Amino acid sequence: MRIINNEMVRMRDGTGLATDIYFPDNMDKGPVLVARTPYSKRGLEEEARFWTANDYILVAQDVRGRYDSQGEFIGHLSEAEDGADMMKWLIDQDWCDGNIGTIGGSYLGGTQWLAAGSNPKCLKAMIPEVTFDDAYEGMTYQGGAKILHDLRWMAANIIPDAVARAEREGGVKEERPLPEVDYILEKLPLAGDPMIEEYGSFYIDWLRHDGNGPFWEPMSPYKGYPQIHVPVLNISGWYDIFVSSTLRNYMGMKAHGPKEVRDRQYLIMGPWSHMSYEGVFPEMNYGSMANALKMGLKEIKLAWFDYFLKGLDVELMSHKVKLFVMGINQWKGFDDWPLAQACEESFYLHSKGNANSLYGGGFLDREEPGQEETDSFIYNPFDPVPTLGGQVLLPGENAIGPRDQTQVEKRQDVLVYTSEVLENAMEVIGPVKLILYGSSKAVDTDFTGKLVDVYPDGRAILITDGIIRGRYRDSDRHPQPLVPDQVYPFEIDMGATANVFLPGHRIRLEISSSNFPKFNRNSNTGGTIYLEEAHEYMSVSNKVWHSDRYPSRLILPLVK
């Protein structure tokens, strides 16, 4: 493998982006794969070894304002133009044979989508992994609530390099310690550490724009679907922070992409978390075939580019959609997503007003409720329900994935509804929804839901979850306060999954008003939450209604 280090590629405004080029031995011209990263291009050397060994040239570039590149880094904002300019530069290089593909996950997946939206003529295929479709919904906010793993990203990934750059360019050492991840997640007001505004002011802009709208569109891949004329292999996992985003990218290209590529969209979903493809978690191991190396993910990627960039007669995936089904721990192939054979079925909430905690009387079944008492709880933002696993990227006790929720379910501010023991297996594959009738004493509050698989030994393994911020119940663009004590129907997007609830197991739904620090705490005041000081936050009484008038229900996609 031969390397050219720090080639400065000029963008349309003259900014130079540092680029490393990896060539296979004894090869001077060939197909090119591009990876554009904010995490230092030097970290892609191992990736380069794989691709150069298979006769591809890998081009790794630090995005604008990061590591060896010039300019100012403003998260995602320059990637469409810079990515397109990079493609134009590549096609003029005598070592590029005119066939270009793109690779990478997370932020690197976003750089692929955003550049592709400019319709670069030389781009032939993409493999974006674990990445977003909408810069607002799913990346920065969910159901109107602020997702906080990007605050961790700021502290752990963005600010350290920004500080180092400032020290090099200004010649003055920063005496303040770098923000500590756990501390800034707890600190109020949100993102109140002055180093965040000084070294990553774009993040404050993200907080200011707490509703959807034009601000987010230049950073959102979905805007480019009609201009993306290439086949796409989407890869993610059921415990990835971008699980829903990946599915929407696949569906979005099928619906809005140019007609000639709508049938060339592929999808792989494993039992994986963000950038971790082993299928092994602290409390769950999905078996040897869950591991990406064992199931042949590298070979699938290689065949993809061999087919679309080299024109080789190789086999692609036998089905366009390849899903790992948890519970039975098997890979299955399907023709599309969502599955045509999946039918929505409602499981209604019931209790005698005593669903609080694991020890209460809440239950789920298919029978619509009659006249029933409401369930109520106190949501205290200074004692929020702690995040324990799920689709997160957080430190310490918030570890990722299918964690046992038993400790969380002992809390009085968690309503628990559990089905009878299943006599037959129940296969759930698709999007999960919760229709919740709720009311609050406040003008704004949150409602959360969790889908849980209860094992015969009592373990309550988290499958997926969701949240809705009251003011955004009808629209993520036009917030409206709640009227205290008025009952509203809240539709909560609970993500998606592929899980078989086995005989002897039970289905469980948890409802509360916080899931912290996955999401920021609602102050319950109706004010601008990211600016509010601790003394402004207040506790509130919230209710969940279930009756013939207010049929709260969990909606599962059952495959029969």
Side-chain angles (χ1 to χ4, degrees):
M1 182 172 70
R2 296 178 291 114
I3 308 172
I4 296 176
N5 286 316
N6 277 347
E7 177 88 15
M8 297 303 285
V9 178
R10 296 293 165 184
M11 302 292 102
R12 66 190 68 181
D13 64 354
T15 301
L17 302 191
T19 307
D20 291 347
I21 307 163
Y22 297 86
F23 295 92
D25 291 327
N26 304 315
M27 180 175 151
D28 296 321
K29 186 172 186 175
V32 177
L33 300 179
V34 179
R36 303 186 62 252
T37 177
Y39 307 123
S40 178
K41 63 188 185 311
R42 301 185 192 283
L44 292 165
E45 185 169 343
E46 191 61 33
E47 186 83 8
R49 293 187 186 281
F50 173 77
W51 291 111
T52 55
N54 288 283
D55 296 328
Y56 287 90
I57 299 167
L58 180 71
V59 174
Q61 185 177 76
D62 289 330
V63 300
R64 178 182 294 255
R66 297 291 290 167
Y67 291 90
D68 296 325
S69 287
Q70 299 170 358
E72 180 185 4
F73 177 72
I74 301 175
H76 309 289
L77 195 58
S78 302
E79 306 310 348
E81 289 188 354
D82 288 352
D85 290 352
M86 180 63 183
M87 300 284 183
K88 291 178 182 177
W89 179 84
L90 279 172
I91 203 67
D92 291 334
Q93 305 309 302
D94 56 9
W95 40 263
C96 174
D97 71 359
N99 295 291
I100 298 174
T102 57
I103 60 170
S106 196
Y107 195 104
L108 286 73
T111 64
Q112 296 181 62
W113 280 110
L114 291 167
S118 299
N119 188 23
K121 303 302 181 184
C122 52
L123 181 62
K124 301 296 175 64
M126 299 162 51
I127 305 182
E129 304 178 44
V130 294
T131 198
F132 63 100
D133 69 314
D134 184 335
Y136 178 80
E137 180 64 29
M139 186 186 85
T140 313
Y141 292 83
Q142 182 176 328
K146 182 70 189 71
I147 300 169
L148 291 186
H149 30 246
D150 64 4
L151 187 52
R152 172 195 182 277
W153 172 74
M154 286 296 298
N157 299 107
I158 301 305
I159 292 177
D161 177 58
V163 170
R165 290 171 67 88
E167 290 177 339
R168 288 196 306 270
E169 294 168 4
V172 178
K173 182 171 177 57
E174 173 62 73
E175 299 295 338
R176 292 170 294 179
L178 294 173
E180 198 279 320
V181 175
D182 285 320
Y183 172 70
I184 65 167
L185 288 171
E186 295 278 353
K187 183 177 173 61
L188 294 174
L190 187 65
D193 191 302
M195 294 185 75
I196 293 175
E197 184 157 13
E198 185 171 345
Y199 293 105
S201 59
F202 67 88
Y203 190 79
I204 306 302
D205 285 337
W206 291 2
L207 296 177
R208 290 192 184 107
H209 293 84
D210 58 350
N212 207 345
F215 172 82
W216 299 101
E217 292 175 0
M219 300 178 275
S220 295
Y222 78 88
K223 297 295 291 184
Y225 293 155
Q227 289 77 48
I228 299 176
H229 291 261
V230 300
V232 183
L233 171 57
N234 297 276
I235 301 173
S236 186
W238 299 121
Y239 291 98
D240 173 36
I241 59 175
F242 295 127
V243 52
S244 294
S245 299
T246 299
L247 297 169
R248 288 195 298 263
N249 273 328
Y250 169 82
M251 292 185 292
M253 281 296 293
K254 295 274 290 186
H256 304 294
K259 289 183 179 179
E260 71 270 18
V261 296
R262 290 182 184 178
D263 199 40
R264 287 188 162 187
Q265 305 303 310
Y266 286 66
L267 173 67
I268 298 175
M269 299 293 296
W272 304 324
S273 57
H274 195 66
M275 301 301 292
S276 178
Y277 295 0
E278 290 82 17
V280 177
F281 299 90
E283 293 163 325
M284 289 293 292
N285 184 334
Y286 289 106
S288 62
M289 287 308 295
N291 187 292
L293 289 175
K294 293 287 184 66
M295 61 79 70
L297 187 60
K298 277 192 172 183
E299 291 76 11
I300 291 172
K301 293 180 184 180
L302 180 59
W304 180 263
F305 286 127
D306 282 350
Y307 186 89
F308 289 111
L309 270 61
K310 292 182 178 178
L312 299 182
D313 185 17
V314 295
E315 287 189 12
L316 299 178
M317 289 161 40
S318 57
H319 292 84
K320 289 188 169 62
V321 175
K322 187 179 182 71
L323 309 178
F324 188 91
V325 182
M326 300 176 292
I328 57 173
N329 297 348
Q330 294 177 8
W331 287 99
K332 289 189 174 185
F334 300 94
D335 295 326
D336 203 0
W337 176 278
L339 276 58
Q341 57 269 50
C343 299
E344 289 188 342
E345 189 148 346
S346 293
F347 292 80
Y348 294 91
L349 282 60
H350 301 275
S351 82
K352 297 178 180 179
N354 62 341
N356 306 73
S357 88
L358 175 64
Y359 309 111
F363 64 98
L364 286 174
D365 64 23
R366 290 181 171 89
E367 185 176 339
E368 295 187 29
Q371 293 300 313
E372 297 185 5
E373 295 183 44
T374 60
D375 292 306
S376 63
F377 59 94
I378 302 296
Y379 159 49
N380 177 1
F382 293 107
D383 183 24
V385 176
T387 298
L388 185 57
Q391 294 77 8
V392 296
L393 188 60
L394 293 165
E397 294 179 355
N398 317 108
I400 295 164
R403 300 295 305 277
D404 183 359
Q405 303 298 299
T406 304
Q407 288 301 117
V408 171
E409 292 170 353
K410 293 178 180 178
R411 296 172 58 109
Q412 288 296 306
D413 57 352
V414 177
L415 305 180
V416 178
Y417 303 90
T418 310
S419 75
E420 295 290 338
V421 174
L422 298 178
E423 295 182 1
N424 301 300
M426 187 174 293
E427 189 166 21
V428 175
I429 302 179
V432 178
K433 291 187 293 186
L434 173 60
I435 305 299
L436 177 70
Y437 288 87
S439 63
S440 177
K441 291 289 185 182
V443 294
D444 189 41
T445 195
D446 296 344
F447 284 101
T448 64
K450 291 181 182 178
L451 174 63
V452 173
D453 186 348
V454 183
Y455 281 60
D457 60 8
R459 284 177 297 150
I461 300 299
L462 177 60
I463 301 299
T464 188
D465 60 41
I467 190 169
I468 190 73
R469 183 143 290 171
R471 68 180 83 177
Y472 290 110
R473 64 195 178 277
D474 295 324
S475 168
D476 61 8
R477 293 173 181 259
H478 305 291
Q480 292 290 331
L482 301 172
V483 175
D485 294 324
Q486 181 169 320
V487 182
Y488 295 93
F490 297 96
E491 182 170 330
I492 302 178
D493 179 355
M494 298 271 283
T497 193
N499 184 75
V500 174
F501 292 82
L502 296 170
H505 290 224
R506 291 177 292 166
I507 300 169
R508 178 169 290 167
L509 173 69
E510 298 174 19
I511 293 173
S512 193
S513 288
S514 52
N515 184 355
F516 178 79
K518 180 174 181 177
F519 304 107
N520 72 323
R521 294 163 284 182
N522 197 322
S523 63
N524 299 316
T525 68
T528 304
I529 297 173
Y530 90 92
L531 290 176
E532 290 181 305
E533 301 280 354
H535 68 83
E536 298 177 81
Y537 283 59
M538 63 183 191
S539 297
V540 67
S541 174
N542 292 334
K543 288 185 177 181
V544 171
W545 301 68
H546 40 83
S547 66
D548 51 357
R549 184 179 179 185
Y550 302 120
S552 293
R553 58 200 181 274
L554 173 68
I555 302 175
L556 298 179
L558 301 189
V559 179
K560 299 191 177 181

